[in-house]
Amino acid sequence: MSQRNPNLKAATVDAAAETPAAGPTQSNFIREIIRQDLKTGKYHGRVWTRFPPEPNGYLHIGHAKSICLNFGLAAEFGGKTNLRFDDTNPEKEEQEYVDSIMKDAHWLGADWEDRVFYASDYFQQLYDWAIKLIKLGKAYVCDLSAEEVRKYRGTLTEPGKESPYRNRSVEENLDLFERMKAGEFPDGARTLRAKIDMASPNLNMRDPVMYRILHAEHHRTGDKWCIYPMYDYAHGQSDSIEEITYSICTLEFEDHRPLYNWYIEQLGIFAPQQIEFDRLNLTYTLLSKRKLLQLVQEKRVSGWDDPRMPTISGIRRRGYTPEAIRNFCASIGVSKTNGTLELNMLEHFVREDLNKRAPRVMAVLRPLKLVIDNYPEGQTEELEAVNNPEDPGAGTRKVPFSRELYIEHEDFREDPPKGYFRLSPGKEVRLRYAYFITATRLVKNERGEVVEVYCTYDPATRGGDAPDGRKVKSTLHWVSAAQAVPSEVRLYDNLFSNPNPADVPEGQDFTRNLNPNSLEIVRDARLEPSLANAKTGGRYQFERLGYFCVDPDSAPGKLVFNRTVALKDTWAKVEKKQSAKAKT
Ligand code: ATP
Ligand code: MG
């Protein structure tokens, strides 16, 4: 073993398997593999995982699955997880991404203590190991161009052809590789390749490239290197250096596993076990940093943290909680087949979490003036409102009530269709926490639109119940006009209108599936005055409308809210139906 990492201590097994810690609650096959290994003592009881993002973009909800899995399993078995930046591609990687990844992973609850590593820290070790492979006759410098390498590789049905440079002597290879490193050759002129098997049925084993020449400035190593290791050569060896026991990655790396193991075997170094699981895919959502970057660069969204983006920074700004995301990840488990989950399912967990903790308030998105004819002019009273029916400890607050109120435009209909129980002429409804009111007449503008509704109230129904026991079919939210706080509210719909955004006709790109109505800005919403000093990031339930979160664009006196998610929970309904079906 070459570089032993001082941070790596053996984890104790004892308490492990019994304590269901922060990890996934769904049964999962990786957990079973670990349990088995703990029994046989394969890694002497150590459980060590890593989360290895490439700093070429912001983290998205797919990464959250990987984070929860890696950190969750380690925590569950008393192990540890490293954060490692896979920074072997200097052209696409930036410090901004490193910073955002740490911030977002922390926010999700990942704790790597002091174990932040970079593949670039291992460049020297990787180079030394490459020399070792050359000396073992297992690697050679190849002068074929990228294009030629591709041609020689063959196909799934045809074997590849050996490179004419394959049988260079060790001395020549050492000399050329040294000169590649010294910067003697231009980009792409030569590569270092592993000497494996050009006839292997696995294309990854057909003399894969280990190093390429790239005269590019690296965000951490500057211009120290002009040869860079390929992902496959860097990844397993980085895992080995850190003595990772379980290198958990997504299914597309399954075919790379033989190569992963080959390098480690040839070098005779610590052998982590690569285990692949299914990538998270969601309907109406793209989870690819490259495509998300395109949306940012083309200004299709306001940035990586646009609340419509599936990035961690986007959904945080939108109001999603780390708890909701962790619960979602725990519930989906892992498997060996890729599929696509309903976006509704993620939203379900957001509602479920916010329902427990978001204080209720009243806000009117599209205000319609409501005047109570028989309420004394100039009078204001304070009514008691419950902060959170799910949490008795959250207490109550006072909301002002007066003669002029705002109600939601869509809560009034001059000609109500059948089954419309909200306000209409002659109809009595309840104002939440306040009184019963009956609409008496309305005022229209010159375009024939209703702009004011007049009503009467029944003072005996204060608090919302009639002493004579009479019932109403509907309860409306409202705000008192004089005290209400104006606010901008941003309503979001799916960023894409196609459930599979990547599904486009030949020659077109996914941006054609962007939903032109994914953002609706409501400029003149009115909020109850308790929200006047709401802080950025504050999350609330606007009664009957959904969960909302204060956007960082807010300024004193100019609040901006994002709708995190509407109240309707179609996923819960689907689940209920499914479980009802299952029972019959
Ligand atoms: P992208 O295609 O978005 O760039 P990536 O796999 O290239 O994704 P990395 O930065 O290499 O991104 O990913 C870090 C870790 O997160 C890897 O272990 C990867 O397998 C995992 N990961 C990435 N996307 C998903 C996803 N959709 N579901 C589950 N895990 C994912
Ligand atoms: Mg990648």
Side-chain angles (χ1 to χ4, degrees):
M1 188 54 233
S2 51
Q3 259 169 264
R4 226 198 129 88
N5 193 307
N7 289 312
L8 306 182
K9 284 180 234 106
T12 49
V13 218
D14 317 339
E18 268 66 55
T19 33
T25 53
Q26 189 87 350
S27 114
N28 97 38
F29 73 92
I30 304 178
R31 176 184 292 128
E32 293 316 314
I33 294 175
I34 298 176
R35 285 209 175 117
Q36 218 40 49
D37 289 350
L38 289 175
K39 270 191 209 146
T40 62
K42 179 170 175 187
Y43 289 114
H44 310 290
R46 286 180 65 245
V47 174
W48 216 286
T49 59
R50 85 288 172 263
F51 173 64
E54 182 182 353
N56 62 347
Y58 281 56
L59 295 182
H60 53 60
I61 182 78
H63 294 113
K65 174 174 176 176
S66 176
I67 290 173
C68 291
L69 187 62
N70 279 293
F71 284 87
L73 283 171
E76 183 176 344
F77 292 102
K80 301 272 186 195
T81 306
N82 296 351
L83 174 65
R84 183 195 324 131
F85 289 99
D86 235 316
D87 56 349
T88 53
N89 187 358
E91 287 174 311
K92 296 203 172 138
E93 295 158 3
E94 289 174 26
Q95 188 60 38
E96 177 197 345
Y97 299 140
V98 169
D99 297 340
S100 76
I101 287 169
M102 291 208 259
K103 179 176 169 190
D104 293 346
H106 260 307
W107 179 78
L108 277 173
D111 182 8
W112 51 85
E113 298 171 326
D114 56 352
R115 296 179 310 282
V116 188
F117 302 116
Y118 296 82
S120 56
D121 290 341
Y122 309 140
F123 280 172
Q124 184 61 46
Q125 174 68 81
L126 293 169
Y127 178 80
D128 293 344
W129 277 334
I131 300 278
K132 180 170 172 182
L133 288 176
I134 293 174
K135 287 184 177 161
L136 288 169
K138 301 284 182 186
Y140 63 96
V141 173
C142 179
D143 301 359
L144 295 180
S145 67
E147 183 52 37
E148 288 166 326
V149 168
R150 239 191 320 278
K151 267 202 208 131
Y152 275 65
R153 187 179 296 132
T155 64
L156 283 173
T157 49
E158 277 170 57
K161 225 169 52 176
E162 293 191 352
S163 161
Y165 307 98
R166 197 172 198 259
N167 296 312
R168 276 179 162 149
S169 68
V170 168
E171 289 66 40
E172 189 182 3
N173 281 322
L174 286 174
D175 171 63
L176 284 172
F177 189 48
E178 172 65 39
R179 286 161 60 196
M180 277 168 65
K181 176 180 179 253
E184 263 188 50
F185 311 117
D187 290 1
R190 293 192 155 93
T191 55
L192 183 73
R193 296 177 68 180
K195 194 169 178 176
I196 310 180
D197 178 7
M198 288 308 289
S200 170
N202 184 337
L203 294 176
N204 294 306
M205 301 299 274
R206 294 185 187 171
D207 291 10
V209 172
M210 292 167 56
Y211 272 90
R212 57 191 177 137
I213 301 174
L214 195 62
H215 293 265
E217 176 100 1
H218 186 279
H219 73 110
R220 297 192 79 239
T221 58
D223 56 7
K224 173 152 190 249
W225 296 88
C226 63
I227 53 171
Y228 289 94
M230 303 302 287
Y231 173 87
D232 280 322
Y233 178 64
H235 197 83
Q237 279 58 262
S238 301
D239 284 341
S240 180
I241 290 169
E242 294 172 22
E243 294 194 0
I244 299 302
T245 56
Y246 302 98
S247 178
I248 302 171
C249 62
T250 37
L251 283 174
E252 68 272 21
F253 291 103
E254 198 162 10
D255 290 346
H256 296 239
R257 190 181 345 128
L259 180 56
Y260 182 104
N261 292 338
W262 186 88
Y263 286 126
I264 284 177
E265 247 166 62
Q266 305 308 313
L267 293 168
I269 55 180
F270 178 85
Q273 178 176 351
Q274 177 179 306
I275 305 173
E276 309 86 15
F277 70 99
D278 59 322
R279 263 185 115 74
L280 173 68
N281 294 301
L282 289 171
T283 54
Y284 301 100
T285 308
L286 274 178
L287 297 179
S288 148
K289 281 180 282 182
R290 187 176 57 78
K291 289 178 179 161
L292 297 177
L293 174 64
Q294 186 181 336
L295 294 176
V296 173
Q297 283 175 336
E298 293 179 2
K299 301 208 183 325
R300 311 277 185 158
V301 293
S302 65
W304 284 100
D305 70 343
D306 186 303
R308 291 167 294 179
M309 290 280 269
T311 51
I312 302 303
S313 58
I315 58 187
R316 172 174 57 231
R317 180 167 174 186
R318 180 145 166 183
Y320 284 30
T321 60
E323 291 81 357
I325 297 168
R326 290 201 299 264
N327 292 343
F328 167 71
C329 291
S331 86
I332 61 181
V334 288
S335 83
K336 274 286 190 186
T337 34
N338 279 322
T340 302
L341 296 177
E342 296 285 340
L343 182 56
N344 274 340
M345 188 177 170
L346 172 60
E347 292 178 345
H348 164 78
F349 284 94
V350 175
R351 284 191 195 93
E352 186 190 60
D353 185 44
L354 291 175
N355 179 44
K356 282 184 275 188
R357 50 162 116 200
R360 274 55 169 172
V361 292
M362 289 197 285
V364 173
L365 294 186
R366 294 175 183 85
L368 173 63
K369 180 83 101 26
L370 180 77
V371 183
I372 308 171
D373 271 325
N374 59 337
Y375 194 89
E377 240 167 288
Q379 177 177 309
T380 305
E381 64 184 304
E382 305 237 282
L383 298 171
E384 190 158 35
V386 174
N387 287 333
N388 187 348
E390 300 290 319
D391 174 10
T396 59
R397 69 189 184 286
K398 301 278 189 205
V399 280
F401 185 88
S402 63
R403 187 168 186 270
E404 297 198 352
L405 310 171
Y406 290 117
I407 60 169
E408 208 68 60
H409 228 292
E410 62 175 33
D411 281 340
F412 178 83
R413 288 286 185 91
E414 186 181 3
D415 295 308
K418 199 165 171 277
Y420 185 90
F421 297 121
R422 294 176 247 172
L423 197 60
S424 57
K427 183 84 78 53
E428 184 169 58
V429 299
R430 175 190 295 111
L431 293 179
R432 181 88 159 139
Y433 300 122
Y435 297 97
F436 285 13
I437 55 155
T438 305
T440 50
R441 64 195 163 92
L442 48 89
V443 178
K444 291 184 180 178
N445 64 13
E446 60 284 1
R447 289 193 298 277
E449 299 156 345
V450 178
V451 290
E452 272 179 36
V453 174
Y454 284 77
C455 65
T456 56
Y457 86 120
D458 176 357
T461 58
R462 191 176 199 274
D465 285 304
D468 63 6
R470 93 185 176 272
K471 299 278 183 240
V472 287
K473 281 213 164 120
S474 187
T475 301
L476 309 186
H477 61 275
W478 52 273
V479 294
S480 173
Q483 292 85 3
V485 179
S487 169
E488 178 178 316
V489 178
R490 299 173 184 170
L491 306 177
Y492 302 102
D493 194 355
N494 297 336
L495 184 53
F496 293 95
S497 29
N498 188 323
N500 175 8
D503 178 21
V504 283
E506 183 83 29
Q508 300 233 21
D509 112 342
F510 67 93
T511 53
R512 90 172 237 141
N513 283 330
L514 281 165
N515 173 5
N517 304 315
S518 58
L519 168 64
E520 182 188 353
I521 299 179
V522 174
R523 305 224 177 253
D524 193 22
R526 301 298 168 107
L527 320 175
E528 68 168 66
S530 73
L531 285 172
N533 298 313
K535 297 279 173 295
T536 295
R539 302 184 185 94
Y540 301 87
Q541 184 194 100
F542 289 2
E543 295 215 22
R544 299 177 67 227
L545 298 173
Y547 295 97
F548 292 75
C549 172
V550 184
D551 190 84
D553 282 349
S554 296
K558 188 192 164 286
L559 279 167
V560 178
F561 275 87
N562 295 311
R563 181 156 71 192
T564 308
V565 64
L567 282 182
K568 192 175 62 156
D569 193 342
T570 46
W571 175 253
K573 272 193 213 141
V574 170
E575 255 190 338
K576 221 176 176 175
K577 255 196 221 148
Q578 283 169 346
S579 73
K581 241 192 226 157
K583 274 182 206 140
T584 56

